[in-house]
Amino acid sequence: MSNTDFTLAVEDLTVSFDGFKAIDALTLYVDRNELRVIIGPNGAGKTTLLDLICGKTRATGGSIKFKNEELNRMPEHQRVRRGIGRKFQTPSIYENLSVFKNLEVSYPAGRSVLGALGFRCTDAVRARVQAVAEDIGLGDRLDTEAGLLSHGQKQWLEIGMLLMQEPELLMLDEPIAGMSARERELTAELLQRICQNRSVIVIEHDMDFVKRIAHKVTVMHQGKILAEGPMEKVQADPKVIDVYLGH
Ligand code: ADP
Ligand code: MG
């Protein structure tokens, strides 16, 4: 496989904050339809890596290629248009709007029939909202005000808002924090479903959850990759046990 076949190819990526390298010559490849989990101690650089990929933070050096196109100097909104979706740790849904409206407003404006003339809820948009709502387990909650949803349902709604844009790479930072056991289980199923059509990167701490969802695990430490591979291999790695799993 050549590097051009990957959905995401991060090579020799570095970012320094006042001389401190939060990401230090990091190289990482993510396949099409792969679900990659990134683990590692606090401060390892996991969130910063997602910030660099989505364009929230500019790299100091190295390369980030998405479907073989260099992203490094591309502004954040253009990366979204190219198909990169990012969920932050705190949900940013419209609490006073219904589930339906939250999903509807997330439909990419440029793709609506009337485009710049103004948004109208066409049958195509309505169908897409319905399909995404089913995907995130909120198919029968379309009229519910988002503020009334449970914590877990709010997280799913935000994932749904990203899915409305049909991203080819979806990145989630600690998506199950604060969820109940049942919600975690449903989230694992949701992630397994959505990676059938796209690549997904998940940062997570809960090892049972990681085991359930990960195709491959990348362990980060001090801005570098400490280990990478299937969960069983990574879990048995003495370096990983030493800096992370042993604690
Ligand atoms: P993780 O998500 O793995 O816990 P982070 O990516 O949040 O780690 O942080 C990695 C390191 O980079 C930390 O030491 C953090 O303090 C530092 N850092 C992150 N963002 C900035 C920033 N904008 N300015 C300065 N330091 C930062
Ligand atoms: Mg973090």
Side-chain angles (χ1 to χ4, degrees), residues 17 20 22 41-48:
F17 301 118
F20 166 74
N42 281 332
K46 305 181 296 296
T47 298
T48 303

